[in-house]
């Protein structure tokens, strides 16, 4: 238990402890009976670049091949399960409120995910098998999935129950050699991880094949609920709303793009809608690189929320509302104004309306999207809601510890900030100047990684270029840089603001909340302006320091509605864009001193982690004692092992 606390940064729950105590001995018993007592078992093995953990990976030598062989094992204490409302790939489990992905599909996805991120596994085709072991259940109590034509696929989604232990032992004995091969586990643990790919940089062809968009657990549950809704609509059954909630990097947009590809292949009328100009234009650009359907281009599939004003009911099979926290009260376009609430328009226009959102990413006062608001709108229309909460983290190195640290730093978690205790999968550092931040991030950028600098909206913004250059409005001492470009026609060589996060030349500008939200990059530099400063041991907001008119009206000298919450939400977004690491700097000296007590200093890189990727942030030095950390939340201080060499949401 102590090892888990040090590794994960939070204490294991009573239910998880009970699961270990009951399930691990059940698996061990079968291994001993199969003559494999010496086999290496990797318990609670974290998936690369994800907070998801595999219950057990068995590692050894193949009985016939003598090559490394691996078995991904998902352990379940379920006694029974039933098909969830005719969705054969989801199951209803007594005692669990939410639908669960069938364990066969769950373990199959883990196998595919491992191969996607660990190229070393490609050297040994067929080396990864997967099974679910339900040691409290009989086979007649668990729904079965149809056996496919692909034998390799079926070896990744086997299910064994307590009445099939003889077959399980027979499989294990035929899978592994009866001696220990320590090299197999070492190969897996030390395998270089393929660089995380930005979600929106995946080409439409790859989206179609879904090779790089493996959906895990709750992601898959959300996908299956939408597809069930489509089948029910075909049967003329009652309409349902699908509501998916998750924090930054939890995979909401991966669900959206996977649904787009699957539904388009079925020739369904499907549309993607968002309230973000930058997000819409970028998704549209990448998807347009190849049509989903040979008979149509993808441009008409991407919309704004306001585009469905006064459209006929059920004119679409599926409407996917991505970043639904950006829904407005009413749709407006020029002089036109919607006759009903925007959320009602979005629900009514599709047979299956889907909403993906994060309540803590509202950054404008006119954005009203929330779980409660969408639920309320559905209830007023007498519609039921299927709700899925995404608990995984696929950004920030898959580090739930970092996401929790950000919430506490910004005062969004109810307790005071505490010192960063380190995480081997994610790097955090404090720059001593904007010059140092730019130099270290440029090192990574020029080495081939993606890196960006963003900042709080605390400087004026000159929208019109001066000749062929943008005006360097963000000035800190002798250092200066321009904001990202305004509009769609910047000077040559400078990306439009909508593409600041995805075009490499965006490194030369400072991004703001409106161009960073919804995107991801390997390394993130965040400059805290004077709208958020440390006073008396915590960060407080100063709306008057903001140059965002939504935060502070300079003509009337009045803060905007919910200004303080919007400032904190904006920095939460900026601080969670990085996939591999984040660097922070504050222009306020007192705040910089405050952060120096919480975050280790940045230093000049001494080596490359992998070809083309600079190590820009050091292994964390252990900092203040546990009295600075909330009880039951964080372990500390912890000095993680150096990150092994490494080969996005």
């Amino acid at each position: 238990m102590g090892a888990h606390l040090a590794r994960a940064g939070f204490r294991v729950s009573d239910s998880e402890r009970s699961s270990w105590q009951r399930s691990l001995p059940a698996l061990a018993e079968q291994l001993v009976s199969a003559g494999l007592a010496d086999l290496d078992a990797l318990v609670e093995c974290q998936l690369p670049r994800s907070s998801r953990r595999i219950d057990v990976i068995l590692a050894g030598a193949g009985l016939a091949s003598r090559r490394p062989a691996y078995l991904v094992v998902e352990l379940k204490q379920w006694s029974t399960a039933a098909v969830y409302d005719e969705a054969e790939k989801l199951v209803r489990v007594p005692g669990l409120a939410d639908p669960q992905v069938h364990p066969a599909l769950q373990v199959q996805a883990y196998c595919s995910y491992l191969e996607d991120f660990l190229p070393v596994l490609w050297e040994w085709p067929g080396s990864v098998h997967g099974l679910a072991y339900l040691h409290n259940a009989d086979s007649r109590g668990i729904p079965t999935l149809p056996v496919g034509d692909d034998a390799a696929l079926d070896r990744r989604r086997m299910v064994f129950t307590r009445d099939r232990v003889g077959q399980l032992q027979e499989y294990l004995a035929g899978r592994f050699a009866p001696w220990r091969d320590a090299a197999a586990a070492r190969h897996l643990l030390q395998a270089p991880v393929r660089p995380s790919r930005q979600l929106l940089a995946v080409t439409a062809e790859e989206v179609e094949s879904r090779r790089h968009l493996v959906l895990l657990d709750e992601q898959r549950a959300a996908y299956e609920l939408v597809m069930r809704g489509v089948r029910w609509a075909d049967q003329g059954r009652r309409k349902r709303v699908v509501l998916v909630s998750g924090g930054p990097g939890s995979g909401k947009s991966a669900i959206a793009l996977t649904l787009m590809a699957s539904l388009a292949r079925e020739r369904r009328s499907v549309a993607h809608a968002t309230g973000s100009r930058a997000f819409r234009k970028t998704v549209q650009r990448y998807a347009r690189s190849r049509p989903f359907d040979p008979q149509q281009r993808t441009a008409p599939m991407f919309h704004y929320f306001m585009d469905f004003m006064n459209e006929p009911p059920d004119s679409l099979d599926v409407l996917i509302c991505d970043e639904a926290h950006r829904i407005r009260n009413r749709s407006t376009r020029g002089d036109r104004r919607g006759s009903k609430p925007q959320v009602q328009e979005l629900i009514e226009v599709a047979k299956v309306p889907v909403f993906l959102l994060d309540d803590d990413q509202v950054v404008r006062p006119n954005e009203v999207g929330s779980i409660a608001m969408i639920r309320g709108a559905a209830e007023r229309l007498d519609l039921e809601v299927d709700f899925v909460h995404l608990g995984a983290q696929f950004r920030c190195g898959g580090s739930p510890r970092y996401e929790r640290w950000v919430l506490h730093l910004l005062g969004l978690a109810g307790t005071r900030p505490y010192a960063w205790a380190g995480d081997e999968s994610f790097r955090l550092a404090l720059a001593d100047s904007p010059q140092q931040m730019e130099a270290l991030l440029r090192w990574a950028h020029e080495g081939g990684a993606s890196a960006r600098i963003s900042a709080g909206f605390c400087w004026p913004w000159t929208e019109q270029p001066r000749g062929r250059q943008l005006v360097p409005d963000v000035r800190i001492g002798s250092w200066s840089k321009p904001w990202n470009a305004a509009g769609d026609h910047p000077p040559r060589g400078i990306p439009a603001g909508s593409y600041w996060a995805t075009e490499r030349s965006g490194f030369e500008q400072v991004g703001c909340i409106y161009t960073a939200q919804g995107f991801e990059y390997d390394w993130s530099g965040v400059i805290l302006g004077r709208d958020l400063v440390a006073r008396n041991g915590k960060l407080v907001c100063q709306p008057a320091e903001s140059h965002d008119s939504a935060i502070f009206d300079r003509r009337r000298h009045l803060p905007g509605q919910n200004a303080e919450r919007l400032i904190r939400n904006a920095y939460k977004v900026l601080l969670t864009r990085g996939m591999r690491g984040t660097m922070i700097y504050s222009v306020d000296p007192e705040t910089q001193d405050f952060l120096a007590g919480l975050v280790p200093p940045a230093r000049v890189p001494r080596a490359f982690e992998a070809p083309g990727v600079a190590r820009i942030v050091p292994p964390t030095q252990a900092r203040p004692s546990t009295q600075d950390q909330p009880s039951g939340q964080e372990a500390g201080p912890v000095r993680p092992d150096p990150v092994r060499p490494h080969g996005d949401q």
Side-chain angles (χ1 to χ4, degrees), residues 332-384:
T332 58
R333 183 184 289 278
D335 295 333
R336 297 175 59 206
R337 179 176 171 82
S339 60
K340 60 187 70 171
Q342 189 176 80
V343 66
Q344 184 176 340
E345 295 172 345
L346 299 172
I347 291 175
E348 291 179 343
V349 76
K351 297 173 184 176
V352 184
V354 183
F355 296 90
L356 305 112
L357 78 162
D358 175 7
D359 279 1
D360 289 335
Q361 286 199 54
V362 173
V363 296
R364 300 282 289 186
N366 61 346
E367 294 173 354
V368 299
S370 69
I371 296 170
M373 186 272 284
I374 295 171
R375 279 188 181 277
E379 290 172 1
R380 288 190 293 275
L381 295 171
D382 194 28
L383 299 176
E384 294 186 2

Side-chain angles (χ1 to χ4, degrees), residues 35-324:
L36 300 172
D38 292 332
L39 200 64
D40 283 332
L42 309 177
V43 179
E44 293 295 319
C45 194
Q46 185 171 338
L47 288 169
R49 304 285 187 252
S50 168
S51 62
R52 282 286 175 225
R53 290 171 289 150
I54 296 173
D55 287 343
V56 179
I57 300 179
L58 300 176
L63 180 61
S65 68
R66 300 297 193 267
R67 297 182 306 183
Y70 304 99
L71 179 63
V72 175
V73 181
E74 178 66 20
L75 298 169
K76 298 290 188 189
Q77 296 190 75
W78 306 348
S79 298
T80 61
V83 172
Y84 183 84
D85 290 345
E86 302 175 32
E88 66 176 13
K89 295 177 181 178
L90 298 179
V91 293
R92 188 188 303 276
V93 180
L96 299 179
D98 298 327
Q100 305 292 308
V101 175
H102 194 290
L105 294 180
Q106 184 181 7
V107 75
Q108 175 191 325
Y110 290 164
C111 293
S112 298
Y113 190 97
L114 282 173
E115 282 203 341
D116 270 358
F117 280 85
L118 301 179
V120 67
L121 296 177
W122 304 346
E123 299 175 16
W124 309 300
S127 62
V128 180
H129 288 192
L131 65 82
Y133 180 33
L134 288 75
H135 52 87
N136 290 331
D138 292 330
S139 55
R140 63 181 179 273
I142 303 298
T144 58
L145 291 178
V147 176
D149 297 328
D150 186 342
L153 176 63
D154 289 336
R155 287 197 296 269
R156 294 182 169 202
R157 59 180 198 179
M158 298 177 287
V159 176
F160 292 94
T161 48
R162 65 184 179 186
D163 58 336
R164 296 186 61 212
V165 293
Q167 293 166 279
L168 173 59
Q169 293 169 16
E170 182 181 354
Y171 164 76
L172 291 170
R175 173 65 173 160
F176 293 103
W179 59 81
R180 182 176 184 238
D181 181 2
R186 186 169 63 251
H187 282 313
L188 191 69
L189 292 173
Q190 297 179 355
V193 176
R194 187 172 64 174
S196 300
R197 300 195 59 182
Q198 294 183 36
L199 174 66
L200 297 180
V202 177
T203 67
E205 182 175 6
E206 289 170 324
V207 171
E208 274 196 290
S209 68
R210 291 166 57 191
R211 171 169 175 75
H212 294 289
L213 295 179
V214 177
L215 300 183
L216 302 180
D217 301 348
E218 296 95 345
Q219 293 177 316
R220 183 61 183 265
Y223 171 89
E224 294 296 342
L225 287 171
V226 174
M227 301 306 286
R228 180 198 66 174
V230 172
R231 292 192 297 272
W232 281 15
D234 289 344
Q235 300 165 12
R237 298 175 63 168
R238 191 178 181 194
K239 178 174 176 173
R240 299 176 73 93
V241 175
V242 180
L243 178 59
V244 182
S245 170
S250 57
K252 298 184 295 296
S253 294
I255 296 170
L257 293 180
T258 303
L259 283 169
M260 291 284 291
S262 296
L263 293 166
R265 282 199 301 274
E266 292 186 10
R267 306 294 180 97
R268 300 283 184 177
S269 57
V270 56
H272 178 283
T274 180
S276 166
R277 174 181 173 84
F279 190 78
R280 174 184 178 267
K281 290 179 73 67
T282 305
V283 171
Q284 191 178 61
R285 166 188 276 193
Y286 282 109
R288 195 167 50 226
S289 66
R290 173 184 166 92
F292 289 100
D293 184 325
Q295 303 304 315
Q296 67 175 14
R297 299 300 294 178
T298 57
M301 301 170 72
F302 296 92
H303 301 266
Y304 295 116
F305 295 142
M306 63 183 175
D307 291 342
F308 301 96
M309 181 171 28
N310 303 323
E311 288 293 310
D314 294 342
S315 53
L316 292 170
D317 288 323
V318 178
L319 174 63
I320 301 166
C321 299
D322 205 352
E323 296 204 314

Side-chain angles (χ1 to χ4, degrees), residues 328-454:
R328 272 62 166 181
N329 271 316
R330 298 271 172 167
S331 298
T332 58
R333 183 184 289 278
D335 295 333
R336 297 175 59 206
R337 179 176 171 82
S339 60
K340 60 187 70 171
Q342 189 176 80
V343 66
Q344 184 176 340
E345 295 172 345
L346 299 172
I347 291 175
E348 291 179 343
V349 76
K351 297 173 184 176
V352 184
V354 183
F355 296 90
L356 305 112
L357 78 162
D358 175 7
D359 279 1
D360 289 335
Q361 286 199 54
V362 173
V363 296
R364 300 282 289 186
N366 61 346
E367 294 173 354
V368 299
S370 69
I371 296 170
M373 186 272 284
I374 295 171
R375 279 188 181 277
E379 290 172 1
R380 288 190 293 275
L381 295 171
D382 194 28
L383 299 176
E384 294 186 2
V385 175
D386 290 312
F387 177 74
V388 177
H389 176 71
L390 305 176
Q393 170 63 259
F394 295 89
R395 198 179 286 147
C396 305
S399 173
R401 170 179 283 181
Y402 176 69
E403 184 181 17
R404 187 178 300 108
W405 182 85
V406 169
L407 293 176
H408 285 275
L409 175 71
L410 297 176
L412 295 173
T415 57
R416 61 180 178 168
Y418 53 85
W420 170 245
D423 190 323
E424 66 177 11
S425 60
F426 191 76
R427 300 297 182 180
L428 176 66
L430 181 68
D432 61 21
S433 67
Q435 288 90 339
Q436 185 194 43
M437 174 183 286
E438 180 182 359
L440 295 178
L441 291 176
R442 187 177 295 280
W443 187 315
H445 172 74
E446 292 180 350
S450 55
R452 295 293 185 275
I453 297 174
S454 61

